[in-house]
Amino acid sequence: MKLVKFNIIAFILLNCWFGAAQQLPQFTQYMYNTISINPAYAGSRETLSVVGLHRSQWVGLEGGPTTQTLSIHTPLRNEKIGIGVSFINDELGFQNFSYLYGDFSYTIQVSENSQLAFGLKAGFTSFSLDPDFQLSEANDPVIFGFEDRWKPNIGTGVYWHSNRWYLGLSAPRILNTDYTGDAEFEALERISYYFTGGYVFDISANTKFKPAMLLKATNGAPLSFDITANFLFHEKFWLGGAYRVNERASALGGIADFQVSKQLRIGYAYEYPLSDLRPYTSGTHEVLLMFEIFKSKRIKSPRYF
């Protein structure tokens, strides 16, 4: 009976994802992976930054999402222009979405301590079904005939920040794209709006506190709100918690992040679901690596986000 209930839940999850609105995957460490949702972030770290992330969501639940991301971005010589490229591979059950996008930003100085960046994102999203699944459903008139489909899309964003705080607003995909080409069965990439923010407080000479938030709104999907609170010790070690409020996928988690060297940073996050999925999964694991190549000039200030 438990196995039957397990399979029913998995089936519902897959069909809700596939039949309604396709969305970008969510991350616990969103504050370090901002380029995936906001092109205006490109170049904001003032150096060449490479970020890789792996996320295994709802471990133990058959068909649970797994996501890998890789992004590279840097300012150009005049520092007002930033460029980047990002790749996301997202697998959920028998579905696979791949995102390959380029990013461009232009920054203006709006005050002595803050900058405002405008960004554009353009690229392609690929949708495909697992070949074994297609073979097993070859007689299904709705599913049969699916193949890899690369569809173009564009996005935009703004990013206002100083050394101590940031605010961002973006829509990384603004075209409603149907990947199936079937009038009776839709897999839509709908518009998602992201609002992000964060602030760094000095607690003592060796301790800082950084709360951050992300609000996500997608047509056809529940509103999602993420909040994190991290402490930084001796400019080396971040430790904190995370909480997501979502009608279908609320979660509670923890984050640990270590600055191994000036160039290398390692982060780990764990989430435990607060929804009806709790009996069927041991949680979500997320690993992040950040590598930065610093130029000969001194970076203007420490980068906390």
Side-chain angles (χ1 to χ4, degrees), residues 20 120 149 258:
L120 293 174
R149 302 170 186 268
F258 183 62

Side-chain angles (χ1 to χ4, degrees), residues 12-276:
I12 292 173
L13 286 171
L14 295 178
N15 279 274
C16 287
W17 189 279
F18 195 32
Q22 166 60 20
Q23 307 171 58
L24 282 173
Q26 289 182 306
F27 305 104
T28 309
Q29 301 173 91
Y30 56 85
M31 69 292 294
Y32 307 127
N33 197 36
T34 306
I35 191 71
S36 65
I37 60 172
N38 192 341
Y41 186 77
S44 66
R45 291 188 63 84
E46 303 179 341
T47 188
L48 177 64
S49 182
V50 182
V51 177
L53 182 147
H54 174 84
R55 179 180 174 89
S56 295
Q57 188 168 337
W58 303 332
V59 173
L61 180 63
E62 184 177 356
T66 60
T67 307
Q68 300 83 36
T69 73
L70 177 65
S71 64
I72 304 173
H73 65 102
T74 181
L76 295 185
R77 187 179 296 272
N78 67 5
E79 299 183 352
K80 292 183 178 180
I81 295 175
I83 58 172
V85 61
S86 58
F87 175 76
I88 302 175
N89 180 62
D90 188 37
E91 297 182 9
L92 174 60
F94 54 81
Q95 303 171 80
N96 180 270
F97 282 84
S98 297
Y99 307 84
L100 181 59
Y101 282 78
D103 302 284
F104 173 87
S105 70
Y106 186 82
T107 300
I108 59 175
Q109 195 79 25
V110 295
S111 70
E112 182 179 353
N113 298 315
S114 67
Q115 300 84 41
L116 179 63
F118 303 88
L120 293 174
K121 181 185 287 284
F124 297 88
T125 301
S126 168
F127 168 69
S128 63
L129 294 178
D130 188 291
D132 294 334
F133 177 81
Q134 292 193 58
L135 182 62
S136 66
E137 302 293 335
N139 295 323
D140 192 308
V142 175
I143 297 176
F144 178 68
F146 275 74
E147 58 187 19
D148 291 346
R149 302 170 186 268
W150 286 89
K151 296 292 183 72
N153 213 324
I154 56 175
T156 186
V158 293
Y159 186 69
W160 185 25
H161 66 99
S162 72
N163 300 336
R164 290 285 176 158
W165 54 264
Y166 70 94
L167 293 170
L169 180 63
S170 62
R173 313 285 182 267
I174 61 176
L175 301 180
N176 289 335
T177 304
D178 180 9
Y179 297 101
T180 69
D182 192 294
E184 299 180 359
F185 194 65
E186 293 182 331
L188 297 178
E189 186 173 34
R190 299 192 186 274
I191 302 176
S192 293
Y193 300 95
Y194 294 82
F195 178 64
T196 57
Y199 197 96
V200 178
F201 297 91
D202 286 322
I203 303 298
S204 68
N206 297 314
T207 306
K208 292 180 173 59
F209 175 61
K210 186 185 72 173
M213 56 78 66
L214 181 150
L215 179 65
K216 178 183 177 182
T218 303
N219 183 24
L223 192 69
S224 180
F225 179 69
D226 290 57
I227 184 168
T228 60
N230 290 280
F231 291 91
L232 173 62
F233 303 100
H234 297 278
E235 300 287 343
K236 288 287 186 180
F237 183 61
W238 289 98
L239 185 65
Y243 179 59
R244 175 176 301 121
V245 181
N246 186 297
E247 181 182 333
R248 298 175 184 171
S250 294
L252 183 67
I255 302 173
D257 193 280
F258 183 62
Q259 192 76 41
V260 179
S261 66
K262 187 176 181 180
Q263 292 78 26
L264 180 63
R265 184 173 187 166
I266 299 175
Y268 170 76
Y270 173 79
E271 276 188 10
Y272 186 72
L274 301 178
S275 64
D276 293 338

